[in-house]
Amino acid sequence: RDFNTEYPGHTIQKIEIPQHGVEIHTDQGTIEVPNDKIRRYIRKGCHYCLDMTSELADISVGAFEVQPEWNTVIVRTAAGRDLLAAASQEELLLKQYPEEELERLKKASYNKKKRNLMVIKDAVDNQGLKPFIDLSQERYQQLLASQEGQVEN
């Protein structure tokens, strides 16, 4: 349903996507929508994406749910380290990412891969989609084998 129909008179001020679903902050309070109600609204292309954290990037930045107005920075290459070092020298960085949150982020990324890999496999097997990845690669086979009904939201 349309947000304005369901919540007439509410003005959206901010939208957040924490682990449990979507939080819509309005001038009349916060509306929480669980993941199972949101999934059908996710863009179709997002169901085929296996890369939640831009794994091929030198450096990627995303929201840090635990502390509003903070960001997560993931560095993967020497070029990314150089950029991060330059930002640090300019005193633009403030603190280390908490280990427990890093584990949660890794788990969320892994689960997205498993969920979406099953969507891709289903589209290949049942809809005639020509795969854009090699589903026979060991890493994908391991994810598919571990998928058998075992994805955590």
Side-chain angles (χ1 to χ4, degrees), residues 66-77:
V66 177
Q67 222 167 342
E69 300 180 22
W70 282 75
N71 288 303
T72 301
V73 178
I74 301 172
V75 179
R76 295 187 179 86
T77 66

Side-chain angles (χ1 to χ4, degrees), residues 97-110:
Y97 201 81
E99 187 63 35
E100 65 275 4
E101 290 304 314
L102 180 58
E103 290 307 312
R104 193 175 65 75
L105 178 62
K106 286 178 182 178
K107 182 178 176 182
S109 179
Y110 179 77

Side-chain angles (χ1 to χ4, degrees), residues 34-49:
N35 282 326
D36 61 333
K37 295 199 188 255
I38 291 296
R39 291 207 194 282
R40 69 174 184 235
Y41 297 108
I42 296 173
R43 296 176 74 182
K44 210 168 206 171
C46 293
H47 293 291
Y48 296 95
C49 174

Side-chain angles (χ1 to χ4, degrees), residues 1 19 53 56 62 65 68 72-73 88 90 98 113 125 139:
R1 289 183 271 176
Q19 188 174 358
T53 60
L56 298 178
E65 298 169 1
T72 301
V73 178
S88 184
E90 295 293 321
K113 279 185 186 150
D125 292 348
R139 65 182 171 163

